[in-house]
Amino acid sequence: VARRNGKPSGKLIVIGGHEDRDSESLILREVVRCADGGKVVVVTVASEEPKALWQEYRNAFAKLGVSGLAHLEVPSREELVRNPPDGILDDASCVFFTGGGQLRITSEFGGTELCDRLRDLYYKGVTVAGTSAGASVMCDTMLVDGAAEESHKIGDSLSMAPGLGFMPDVIIDQHFAERGRIGRLLGAVAHNPRLLGLGIDENTAIVVERLECFTVIGAGAVYVVDGREVTGTNVAKEETERTLTLFDLRLHVLSQGDEFDLRSRRPKSHPAEEVESTLTE
Amino acid sequence: VARRNGKPSGKLIVIGGHEDRDSESLILREVVRCADGGKVVVVTVASEEPKALWQEYRNAFAKLGVSGLAHLEVPSREELVRNPPDGILDDASCVFFTGGGQLRITSEFGGTELCDRLRDLYYKGVTVAGTSAGASVMCDTMLVDGAAEESHKIGDSLSMAPGLGFMPDVIIDQHFAERGRIGRLLGAVAHNPRLLGLGIDENTAIVVERLECFTVIGAGAVYVVDGREVTGTNVAKEETERTLTLFDLRLHVLSQGDEFDLRSRRPKSHPAEEVESTLTE
């Protein structure tokens, strides 16, 4: 419990899905950099095709020079509880959650001893990365499902569930611009503007340090939806199928190299040259 | 020229496309209400299938009790200039621009005597309505084309052109949530935050009065993007293919019955019951 009051020493790398794995692999290179050459454990519990996905990531990480690679496959929660793969997290520098379904991650892996162990390691310095579904699960309350390419309807089925809680006080959506998800993220933030909404594009990631700030890397944008100043909404009205009203949102669009301070909720820009020199160090 | 300094007495009804024409026809009913039972002129210049579209609107408006209906077909600018359909705008209460391509409207119809005549009538009290492409052309500078379902890339081809100028100081995008267009509207506003960005969903409209305020009607939402407080952007940097950065946008999501004051740039909400009683009066 004490550790929850402290700050994690490990980084979070939260990826909006479809990160490049074949050419420049900018985001995976950052994962490897944060792992500092150490062991990377790929968790495929989200996926229905864990073996194929593991092959893909094994190849991608091997190409980037990672020698210590392990696959945490979770055939079922029962199996994970009965025969926990002891030692798989030993010496891990980074644990990487692949895409698939976020509910598979939380229902199969959440609350297990291995998950508790991972939280401990994260607080002690292990990097936790996740893409797509693996990004959504970082939150305390995660977005599971909701209509895309339409504005949010109040009373409509926006599906949320408890996430792994590695990044509290935010709610994350991925494949953001590509799948037209601004409506559902605004809906989620309207439910409780205490949470900062983060919409992450494909092949784009945030690198979170000590839960204090993050930096954007990758090709797309990260949308930060701050509802603290909202002056009007109808989200709690009991009129199903009525479209959401939401006044006075603050919206920031961040691209590669931009930083965001999670404590003050303020963005900060850096010249592109500076950024690129850091990334290619 | 004097009229441009005054306020138009006619209303604008700016529709995000795909307005319901078969069942409740809420938006077309509002068009008819604003026309006050008078003659409606349907302008199909945007479309490559003007005759079929005219049939559709003729049926829809006839069902709503409009008796005076006319079709302004524009085979070509040359034809329009050589044989202007004299008298077609006489006694018109509303001129309705259909969807299609916005450049067809401006290049074939813009700057003709008939277009000037329409502007006069609009200032004298005639309602001007437009859906989809017909919505975009209302602006001084209109959005013609731009990538959808991705975040805006600076230096990327966001295509803008001079519109009909009936609604200055805004830039309008339509089919908004449905086609994932937030990225391109943010890009357009970043170019010059003097313009207020308006993203209108399908089957949704704004009814603009005296260019002072508008009210939202219909099933979806209207997104108002106010860039006046923007504190940082990279839009003018000469780095093509870099993703847009844009800090401190103010975003309002409006739904049916909500009002927006264009002078103060402030939204205002009304209880749903009040709205529905007005619409069914």
Side-chain angles (χ1 to χ4, degrees):
Chain A
V1 171
R3 68 176 183 268
R4 294 213 64 166
N5 295 323
K7 293 281 184 187
S9 311
K11 288 179 185 173
L12 288 180
I13 303 178
V14 191
I15 311 164
H18 283 319
E19 70 284 353
D20 170 33
R21 310 197 266 268
D22 304 315
S23 56
E24 209 197 348
S25 302
L26 183 88
I27 293 171
L28 293 188
R29 274 201 287 132
E30 179 67 14
V31 170
V32 173
R33 204 172 71 95
C34 290
D36 209 11
K39 180 178 164 188
V40 176
V41 179
V42 177
V43 188
T44 55
V45 58
S47 175
E48 282 179 323
E49 298 189 340
K51 282 181 176 40
L53 211 49
W54 157 240
Q55 289 293 359
E56 242 184 85
Y57 279 104
R58 187 170 61 175
N59 293 343
F61 281 123
K63 250 198 306 191
L64 296 170
V66 179
S67 52
L69 268 166
H71 179 204
L72 174 55
E73 204 182 339
V74 181
S76 70
R77 182 182 191 92
E78 208 184 347
E79 183 63 23
L80 189 66
V81 170
R82 207 180 330 201
N83 301 310
D86 288 326
I88 192 164
L89 296 182
D90 291 353
D91 309 322
S93 293
C94 173
V95 174
F96 186 100
F97 288 88
T98 69
Q102 38 267 63
L103 280 179
R104 275 198 289 272
I105 302 179
T106 57
S107 63
E108 303 283 329
F109 183 72
T112 62
E113 275 181 36
L114 205 64
C115 185
D116 285 350
R117 177 89 200 287
L118 174 57
R119 171 180 285 281
D120 272 340
L121 292 170
Y122 161 53
Y123 272 76
K124 284 176 182 157
V126 166
T127 295
V128 182
T131 186
S132 191
S136 294
V137 297
M138 297 299 182
C139 314
D140 264 333
T141 303
M142 69 179 182
L143 200 47
V144 179
D145 203 8
E149 296 182 352
E150 65 173 53
S151 295
H152 181 65
K153 302 276 186 294
I154 64 176
D156 207 11
S157 53
L158 192 67
S159 165
M160 293 188 260
L164 299 182
F166 292 173
M167 188 174 184
D169 305 324
V170 302
I171 191 152
I172 292 169
D173 210 352
Q174 10 79 7
H175 300 281
F176 194 68
E178 293 79 6
R179 298 194 186 166
R181 287 178 165 176
I182 181 89
R184 73 186 216 181
L185 185 63
L186 294 177
V189 169
H191 280 67
N192 189 345
R194 178 176 74 76
L195 299 187
L196 195 68
L198 301 179
I200 308 178
D201 283 355
E202 293 178 356
N203 198 21
T204 308
I206 59 172
V207 181
V208 187
E209 296 197 50
R210 297 176 57 77
L211 298 177
E212 289 172 354
C213 64
F214 66 75
T215 306
V216 174
I217 58 171
V222 173
Y223 295 75
V224 180
V225 175
D226 185 351
R228 276 183 315 181
E229 297 166 4
V230 161
T231 55
T233 182
N234 59 359
V235 75
K237 294 254 171 72
E238 287 175 7
E239 309 165 42
T240 45
E241 289 304 297
R242 197 175 134 74
T243 295
L244 177 72
T245 285
L246 197 59
F247 296 161
D248 288 302
L249 267 175
R250 192 171 288 269
L251 176 66
H252 308 287
V253 187
L254 280 70
S255 65
Q256 179 156 297
D258 293 335
E259 283 181 18
F260 194 83
D261 189 312
L262 290 160
R263 297 157 303 180
S264 62
R265 290 192 170 188
R266 293 300 308 158
K268 194 176 149 191
S269 218
H270 287 280
E273 315 77 60
E274 207 176 285
V275 176
E276 259 139 50
S277 71
T278 313
L279 286 168
T280 51
E281 252 169 19
Chain B
V1 172
R3 69 176 184 267
R4 294 212 65 166
N5 295 323
K7 293 282 184 185
S9 311
K11 289 180 184 172
L12 289 179
I13 303 179
V14 190
I15 311 165
H18 283 320
E19 70 285 351
D20 169 33
R21 309 197 267 268
D22 304 314
S23 57
E24 211 198 348
S25 302
L26 183 88
I27 293 170
L28 293 189
R29 274 201 288 132
E30 179 67 13
V31 170
V32 173
R33 203 171 72 94
C34 291
D36 209 11
K39 178 176 165 188
V40 176
V41 179
V42 177
V43 188
T44 55
V45 58
S47 174
E48 281 178 325
E49 298 188 341
K51 281 181 177 42
L53 211 48
W54 157 239
Q55 288 292 0
E56 242 184 86
Y57 278 103
R58 186 170 62 175
N59 293 342
F61 281 122
K63 252 200 303 192
L64 295 170
V66 179
S67 52
L69 270 165
H71 180 203
L72 173 56
E73 205 182 339
V74 181
S76 70
R77 182 181 192 94
E78 207 184 349
E79 182 61 25
L80 189 66
V81 169
R82 206 179 331 201
N83 300 309
D86 286 327
I88 192 164
L89 296 182
D90 290 353
D91 310 322
S93 293
C94 173
V95 174
F96 187 99
F97 287 88
T98 70
Q102 38 267 63
L103 280 180
R104 273 197 290 273
I105 302 178
T106 56
S107 63
E108 302 284 329
F109 183 73
T112 61
E113 273 181 36
L114 205 63
C115 185
D116 285 350
R117 177 91 201 285
L118 174 58
R119 169 180 287 279
D120 272 339
L121 291 171
Y122 161 54
Y123 271 76
K124 285 177 182 156
V126 166
T127 295
V128 182
T131 186
S132 192
S136 294
V137 296
M138 298 299 180
C139 313
D140 263 334
T141 303
M142 70 180 183
L143 200 46
V144 179
D145 202 7
E149 297 184 350
E150 65 172 55
S151 294
H152 182 66
K153 303 276 186 292
I154 63 175
D156 207 10
S157 52
L158 192 67
S159 163
M160 293 188 262
L164 299 183
F166 292 172
M167 189 173 184
D169 304 326
V170 302
I171 190 152
I172 293 169
D173 210 352
Q174 11 79 4
H175 301 279
F176 194 68
E178 293 79 6
R179 299 195 186 167
R181 288 179 163 176
I182 181 89
R184 74 186 215 181
L185 186 63
L186 293 178
V189 169
H191 280 67
N192 190 345
R194 178 176 75 75
L195 298 188
L196 194 70
L198 302 180
I200 308 178
D201 283 355
E202 293 178 357
N203 198 20
T204 308
I206 59 172
V207 181
V208 187
E209 296 195 51
R210 295 177 58 77
L211 298 176
E212 289 172 352
C213 65
F214 66 76
T215 307
V216 174
I217 59 172
V222 173
Y223 295 75
V224 180
V225 174
D226 184 351
R228 275 183 314 181
E229 298 166 4
V230 162
T231 56
T233 183
N234 60 358
V235 76
K237 295 255 171 71
E238 286 174 10
E239 309 167 42
T240 44
E241 288 304 294
R242 199 176 132 74
T243 296
L244 177 72
T245 285
L246 197 58
F247 297 160
D248 288 300
L249 265 177
R250 192 171 288 267
L251 175 67
H252 308 286
V253 186
L254 279 68
S255 65
Q256 179 156 299
D258 293 335
E259 283 182 19
F260 194 83
D261 189 312
L262 290 160
R263 297 157 301 180
S264 62
R265 290 194 170 188
R266 293 301 306 159
K268 195 175 146 189
S269 219
H270 287 280
E273 316 78 59
E274 206 176 287
V275 177
E276 260 139 49
S277 71
T278 314
L279 286 168
T280 52
E281 253 170 17

